[in-house]
Amino acid sequence: MTQIPDVTLNNGISIPQLGFGTFQIEPENTREAVRTALEIGYRHIDTAEMYGNEKEVGQAVRDSGLPRGEVFVTSKLNNGFHARDDALTAFDRTLADLDIDYVDLFLIHWPLPTVSDYVETWKAVEEMGRSGRTRAVGVSNFTRAHLERVLAETDTVPAVNQIEVNPYLAQDEVRAFCNAHGITIEAYSPIAQGKVLDDPVITAIAERVERSPAQVTLRWHVQRGDIVFPKSVTRARIEENSRLFDFELSPDDMAAITALDRGERTGFDPDTFSWIPG
Ligand code: NDP
């Protein structure tokens, strides 16, 4: 694997621009998948209490034998624990399940604007940041309106906003807002869970530059400056997705992919998503 560049967050810490996603990896497959990613050279793992695989992620990080400081670990606050005390307990639980002393980044997974007050939850996350048990704090699935409230009503600018971004959902407005306020974008579902890989614009570019459609799509993200963490349980794909830093897309190819935007989500709408674990 060629060297993965780092991105510097607004509190000065570095995060590898390419990571490994673990959504929809069953617990029994997680240890192997994460171990494979670390073996191949990934040094950034994205998990969440909601994924039900934090224990296995932590196990795989330990299995790798890498010093803790060499692997960037992100987890997220599950829905249903947005009240301050519940949030602090959920954070303790994440650290216990991962069985590590600190995470590198901790995020509010969903804003849940219809069921709770994400500003109050953000204040609890600020406390976690001050505890030193997470090196950075951020949010996920926050729209511009949600971020405007957080910026107006609290003291900490989120280090990242993890949102769905892919060629069918370019997210220009919220990306521009975040860029203007020093909030780094993490682009989740970067290949739209596979949906964009048959797009004729992407397959034509892939053929011409002699790369796979997944590599072309992930490279598009990287050149836009976003952080990505594609998920795969397939060793060959985990390897393929890591080879992004030894080729470049032309401005015309970048523009052609950006023009595919049709505002189409793969996941849920953050303004209405209100699922709480039972
Ligand atoms: P991705 O866009 O990463 O797509 C994953 C799917 O694409 C899997 O079915 C995988 O199959 C397939 N795939 C992966 N690589 C290739 C390839 N090279 N060629 C063909 N198919 C491929 O989707 P995710 O939704 O998993 O997003 C990535 C990560 O983002 C998540 O794992 C999670 O960490 C994060 N995320 C965060 C959310 C949030 O609310 N904050 C929501 C959703 C995701 P297979 O595994 O069978 O190989």
Side-chain angles (χ1 to χ4, degrees), residues 91-137:
F91 181 56
D92 288 344
R93 192 164 56 238
T94 278
L95 290 174
D97 283 351
L98 284 163
D99 197 8
I100 51 181
D101 295 333
Y102 67 91
V103 285
D104 294 280
L105 178 62
F106 195 70
L107 310 177
I108 300 179
H109 204 148
W110 287 91
L112 306 179
T114 61
V115 294
S116 64
D117 181 2
Y118 50 80
V119 172
E120 289 312 307
T121 310
W122 179 246
K123 289 178 183 166
V125 172
E126 284 183 301
E127 285 185 51
M128 296 169 200
R130 287 194 292 271
S131 77
R133 294 194 301 154
T134 177
R135 296 173 67 226
V137 287

Side-chain angles (χ1 to χ4, degrees), residues 166-198:
N166 54 60
Y168 291 163
L169 186 70
Q171 296 267 37
D172 287 338
E173 194 205 355
V174 65
R175 284 180 74 258
F177 182 84
C178 287
N179 288 334
H181 290 85
I183 303 168
T184 298
I185 293 287
E186 295 192 330
Y188 79 64
S189 302
I191 56 173
Q193 302 189 343
K195 230 177 15 184
V196 299
L197 302 182
D198 296 328

Side-chain angles (χ1 to χ4, degrees), residues 4 13 22 26 42 51 54 113 132 145 151 158 175 225-226 252 269 276:
I4 299 172
I13 76 162
T22 64
E26 294 302 325
Y42 290 77
Y51 304 164
E54 287 175 310
L151 296 188
R175 284 180 74 258
D226 293 351
D252 283 352
D269 182 338
I276 305 277

Side-chain angles (χ1 to χ4, degrees), residues 21-23 46 51 76 109-110 140-141 162 188-194 197 214 229-234 237 240-241:
T22 64
F23 177 43
D46 184 85
Y51 304 164
K76 314 185 190 89
H109 204 148
W110 287 91
S140 178
N141 294 297
Q162 181 177 127
Y188 79 64
S189 302
I191 56 173
Q193 302 189 343
L197 302 182
F229 23 82
K231 167 266 178 185
S232 177
V233 292
T234 316
R237 288 175 172 174
E240 173 188 326
N241 295 345

